[in-house]
Amino acid sequence: MANQSKSPAKIIVIFTALMVLIVAALIYVNQAEKNKLAEIESEKAEQFKLNPPSTEGQPTLGNVESNVTVVEFGDYKCPSCKIWEQMIFPQLKADYIDTGKINYAFINTLFHQQESVIASLAAEAVYAQDPEAYWDFHQAIYELQPDVNHDEAWVTIDAMTNLAAETVPSLDLQKFQEDMAQNAFMNNLNIDMGLVQYYEVMQTPTIMVNGTKIQEFLDYEELKGLIEAELQ
Ligand code: CA
């Protein structure tokens, strides 16, 4: 009788001990996995830092000779990119671009299918015709992006053609229309997407300072801190 009454208690103790062991093993494996991932991340960050994105052939602003380059991976269809463009970029421009302290470049990041492609092809076509006017057109595309319901189809070849004609006084409209009809600058987009892949850009906007991604694109102080560190 005594043995029979002990058995269930013993089983419970053994079962509990097993469960504790299993949970401990799971926690250990999980932590090891996390450590491994963190290690890979930091190795990658180091690799990107040693090999920052090239701005060759990209629209740039500021001082191309500067040893501090800030690159934006952006998408005209992305609402956060509009927020960056209108809320953070003007501060960056006033503090570091207009003062000639940094080199700034924009890389097309095509995360919204066909509309991202059309807007980016239009921007590349304007850049090819008039690199100075590019930035006015770039800004105008973001102004055209609806503040609400940005998912609606607002990027069309017609909309981009009208916008380019309005925004870029030097525009050769016929050439622009031919370029759009022939997807003339698709190779530029392929180069841009090659950079997106290499630097493992997962979201837009992604801002990189000399190959280091900032954590929070709305945090101007973080961006400023990285730039100041690199300027020294
Ligand atoms: Ca480009």
Side-chain angles (χ1 to χ4, degrees):
M1 271 309 268
N3 270 348
Q4 269 176 356
S5 68
K6 261 186 190 169
S7 285
K10 246 188 200 169
I11 288 170
I12 288 170
V13 169
I14 291 168
F15 181 76
T16 308
L18 265 177
M19 287 311 285
V20 168
L21 271 177
I22 289 170
V23 170
L26 283 176
I27 290 172
Y28 178 79
V29 167
N30 194 22
Q31 193 52 47
E33 203 120 288
K34 273 186 188 157
N35 292 346
K36 183 86 199 139
L37 282 177
E39 201 180 299
I40 292 171
E41 277 308 304
S42 84
E43 272 168 22
K44 265 188 194 141
E46 206 47 46
Q47 175 193 335
F48 295 161
K49 212 173 165 178
L50 291 171
N51 186 23
S54 164
T55 62
E56 209 191 308
Q58 303 292 355
T60 57
L61 273 180
N63 177 9
V64 285
E65 303 291 321
S66 171
N67 52 14
V68 180
T69 295
V70 176
V71 164
E72 176 193 357
F73 289 90
D75 181 345
Y76 294 113
K77 268 292 278 186
C78 140
S80 298
C81 297
K82 178 173 177 148
I83 294 170
W84 154 267
E85 174 72 20
Q86 298 185 341
M87 286 179 60
I88 307 294
F89 179 72
Q91 299 177 53
L92 177 73
K93 188 170 182 291
D95 292 345
Y96 295 104
I97 295 173
D98 293 345
T99 53
K101 289 181 179 170
I102 64 161
N103 178 34
Y104 178 82
F106 181 83
I107 314 271
N108 291 297
T109 309
L110 312 171
F111 283 173
H112 288 81
Q113 295 88 33
Q114 195 54 20
E115 284 182 83
S116 297
V117 173
I118 292 171
S120 301
L121 284 174
E124 294 279 357
V126 167
Y127 178 69
Q129 284 196 30
D130 185 343
E132 301 258 321
Y134 165 85
W135 294 100
D136 295 331
F137 184 62
H138 171 89
Q139 201 178 345
I141 303 176
Y142 281 119
E143 277 162 22
L144 193 69
Q145 182 188 117
D147 289 320
V148 278
N149 202 11
H150 48 81
D151 283 338
E152 74 178 75
W154 58 274
V155 180
T156 60
I157 291 178
D158 280 351
M160 292 298 107
T161 305
N162 292 337
L163 193 67
E166 277 167 28
T167 330
V168 182
S170 65
L171 190 77
D172 179 339
L173 185 61
Q174 197 187 335
K175 172 86 173 72
F176 179 87
Q177 285 171 317
E178 284 167 11
D179 287 345
M180 290 306 284
Q182 293 162 7
N183 291 338
F185 295 96
M186 201 53 96
N187 196 42
N188 295 43
L189 303 196
N190 291 337
I191 290 168
D192 290 5
M193 283 309 280
L195 293 169
V196 168
Q197 274 179 349
Y198 179 81
Y199 293 101
E200 301 188 349
V201 172
M202 310 300 251
Q203 59 193 21
T204 51
T206 287
I207 313 297
M208 278 183 120
V209 180
N210 278 357
T212 299
K213 288 176 192 164
I214 66 164
Q215 298 296 312
E216 172 48 70
F217 77 90
L218 285 174
D219 184 356
Y220 185 60
E221 291 307 311
E222 184 194 355
L223 176 59
K224 219 173 152 176
L226 262 176
I227 293 173
E228 289 294 338
E230 290 294 315
L231 281 171
Q232 276 160 19

